[in-house]
Amino acid sequence: MQSFVAVVETGSFAAAGQRLGISNKLVSKRVAGLENQLGMSLLHRTTRSMSLTHEGERYLEGARRVLAELEHLESEFDSTGGLKGTVRVAAPLTYGDTAVAYAANRFVEQHPNVTIELELSDHYVDLAKGGFDIAIRIGNLSDSSLIVRKLGETSMKVVAAPTYLEKHGAPDHPFQLSDHVCIRDANNPDPNRWFFNIDGQQALVPVAGPFLANSPPACLVPTRAGLGVFMCPDVFLGDDLKTGRLIELLSGFPSRTLPIQSVQLPSAFRKSRVKVFVEFMSREIREAATE
């Protein structure tokens, strides 16, 4: 059962063998034995690809649930103490490259018997299909079937490089953004309109410009080069504001504050190492916010 789940989550017998510490031939033998025992095929296999059968999709859900319960039971009777096992984490690309990766590194230093598998992507990740214990997401969530915990928050800030401001000047009011080149983040619900609080009223201000990307770090490249104004979550700004590489604009007109949250499947929540990792991430984010 463990071999079957590992094959699905890693995408190959070889990768599953690396995760489990056994040969890919033994993984294949175990999966074939499971299929023989069940009397059905769980995987479609070709020389170039592999996919789940209909029966395999149904079995995968139950297998993950059983393995999670088994881990929870074994941990209650583990005489060695301490955490052990693997935590599979999905996170946004650049936030994962920085904050999540640094936190994961410090976590495994404190818990050397835990392995963190970190997968980074700016696309939506299905926890069940990907076999993830936890995902770190920025922004408001709509899936109520997941266990959600707020770890921290990030504020949206309008920034520009000094070279841009020297050429074009700085806007004094959000509605003056129509006179400026605006770099847009496609991750926003409406990238063509930026949200501001103006005199106590919520307002969506139209913006336009020739550069649009679904990644704040990608948008920061032309911003730092002086090619436009950008509204960015402050967790991606790093030392840009401290060093003066970027200047904050329109600070008197606050925008949205977005939550940084962990999301988990109910079965993963019972794993003690997952719970401890979530607590650790929460402390890391709070401490980073006070620096």
Side-chain angles (χ1 to χ4, degrees):
M1 191 181 293
Q2 287 178 324
S3 295
F4 167 66
V5 172
V7 168
V8 175
E9 292 180 351
T10 61
S12 72
F13 289 93
Q18 291 178 350
R19 175 190 287 187
L20 299 173
I22 58 178
S23 69
N24 61 330
K25 290 184 179 180
L26 183 53
V27 173
S28 179
K29 182 178 179 180
R30 287 179 174 177
V31 173
L34 177 63
E35 291 177 316
N36 184 59
Q37 178 182 336
L38 296 171
M40 64 181 68
S41 296
L42 300 176
L43 297 169
H44 293 299
R45 304 171 179 84
T46 69
T47 56
R48 294 186 177 182
S49 64
M50 178 180 60
S51 61
L52 284 166
T53 64
H54 176 68
E55 293 79 9
E57 290 180 355
R58 292 177 56 201
Y59 188 80
L60 177 64
E61 181 180 351
R64 283 175 171 155
R65 184 171 60 252
V66 170
L67 290 173
E69 291 293 334
L70 181 59
E71 279 193 14
H72 179 68
L73 179 62
E74 289 180 341
S75 67
E76 291 185 349
F77 295 92
D78 184 4
S79 61
T80 62
L83 300 176
K84 62 181 180 181
T86 300
V87 180
R88 301 197 70 233
V89 183
L93 188 58
T94 299
Y95 190 63
D97 263 341
T98 53
V100 180
Y102 293 147
N105 180 63
R106 287 188 285 271
F107 184 82
V108 296
E109 286 179 346
Q110 297 181 20
H111 305 282
N113 293 322
V114 174
T115 298
I116 302 292
E117 291 186 6
L118 182 59
E119 183 164 320
L120 306 179
S121 173
D122 286 329
H123 297 290
Y124 176 83
V125 174
D126 187 310
L127 272 72
K129 290 184 179 179
F132 294 103
D133 295 305
I134 178 176
I136 307 298
R137 292 178 179 163
I138 298 176
N140 297 308
L141 307 175
S142 58
D143 192 338
S144 60
S145 67
L146 300 174
I147 296 173
V148 179
R149 172 170 175 176
K150 183 178 178 181
L151 305 178
E153 58 187 24
T154 178
S155 298
M156 303 295 291
K157 295 184 182 296
V158 179
V159 295
T163 52
Y164 176 88
L165 298 176
E166 289 172 5
K167 293 180 180 178
H168 305 280
D172 297 317
H173 193 280
F175 289 125
Q176 294 178 0
L177 288 170
S178 60
D179 298 325
H180 289 266
V181 177
C182 293
I183 295 165
R184 295 164 295 147
D185 181 0
N187 289 313
N188 292 333
D190 187 349
N192 300 317
R193 295 191 297 174
W194 290 352
F195 175 91
F196 290 95
N197 190 313
I198 302 175
D199 297 328
Q201 300 293 320
Q202 297 181 355
L204 289 172
V205 177
V207 295
F211 193 90
L212 175 71
N214 66 339
S215 164
C219 292
L220 282 169
V221 174
T223 306
R224 291 171 179 145
L227 300 181
V229 177
F230 179 43
M231 178 177 277
C232 182
D234 60 7
V235 291
F236 295 107
L237 293 175
D239 293 329
D240 282 317
L241 298 177
K242 292 180 181 178
T243 61
R245 180 159 61 171
L246 294 177
I247 307 297
E248 182 179 359
L249 309 175
L250 304 172
S251 58
F253 303 91
S255 185
R256 289 188 177 98
T257 296
L258 301 177
I260 302 171
Q261 301 176 104
S262 67
V263 295
Q264 299 165 257
L265 297 170
S267 60
F269 191 68
R270 301 198 63 176
K271 297 179 182 178
S272 56
R273 61 183 179 273
V274 176
K275 183 177 180 180
V276 174
F277 180 74
V278 172
E279 294 284 350
F280 187 85
M281 276 295 305
S282 180
R283 290 196 302 272
E284 290 283 306
I285 292 173
R286 288 198 306 267
E287 291 172 4
T290 60
E291 291 179 356

